[in-house]
Amino acid sequence: MKIERFKDVWDALEDDPVERERLKMRSRLMSALQARIKVWNVTQSEAAKRLSITQPRLNDLLKDRFNKFSLGALFDLATRAGLK
């Protein structure tokens, strides 16, 4: 049995190259947002206010609930967080 090695998890999980890149971008945006929120060193409530979302929605982001965020939603949050 041949063991396949992949560059990242999305290469292993998604065959369609367009969808694979979309998933990679969502993952990168989510990670960047989590890092930015951590640097703010504020409560979840304050971070949610800065991003104009509810605290439960912020919690979904912080808990890696990947399937709850579209690429567009993550892009909007990244813009609000001041990410370039």
Side-chain angles (χ1 to χ4, degrees):
M1 181 165 128
K2 183 181 176 201
I3 297 175
E4 285 189 71
R5 298 206 185 265
F6 297 94
K7 194 172 181 179
D8 65 40
V9 68
W10 303 116
D11 291 333
L13 294 175
E14 182 56 55
D15 292 329
D16 177 40
V18 174
E19 183 60 22
R20 184 171 50 241
E21 290 306 312
R22 186 177 291 120
L23 291 167
K24 287 178 183 181
M25 184 58 71
R26 284 171 60 196
S27 181
R28 287 184 201 124
L29 281 170
M30 187 171 269
S31 293
L33 280 161
Q34 291 167 344
R36 175 59 57 100
I37 292 164
K38 187 174 184 178
V39 167
W40 287 343
N41 196 30
V42 296
T43 65
Q44 282 192 14
S45 179
E46 177 58 30
K49 285 179 190 174
R50 289 185 186 192
L51 296 173
S52 299
I53 59 175
T54 64
Q55 191 277 329
R57 183 87 167 136
L58 178 72
N59 193 46
D60 287 338
L61 176 71
L62 297 176
K63 296 286 187 181
D64 290 317
R65 295 190 178 115
F66 189 80
N67 60 333
K68 293 194 174 203
F69 295 90
S70 67
L71 181 57
L74 289 168
F75 182 82
D76 291 347
L77 292 172
T79 301
R80 290 182 200 137
L83 298 174
K84 303 282 182 202

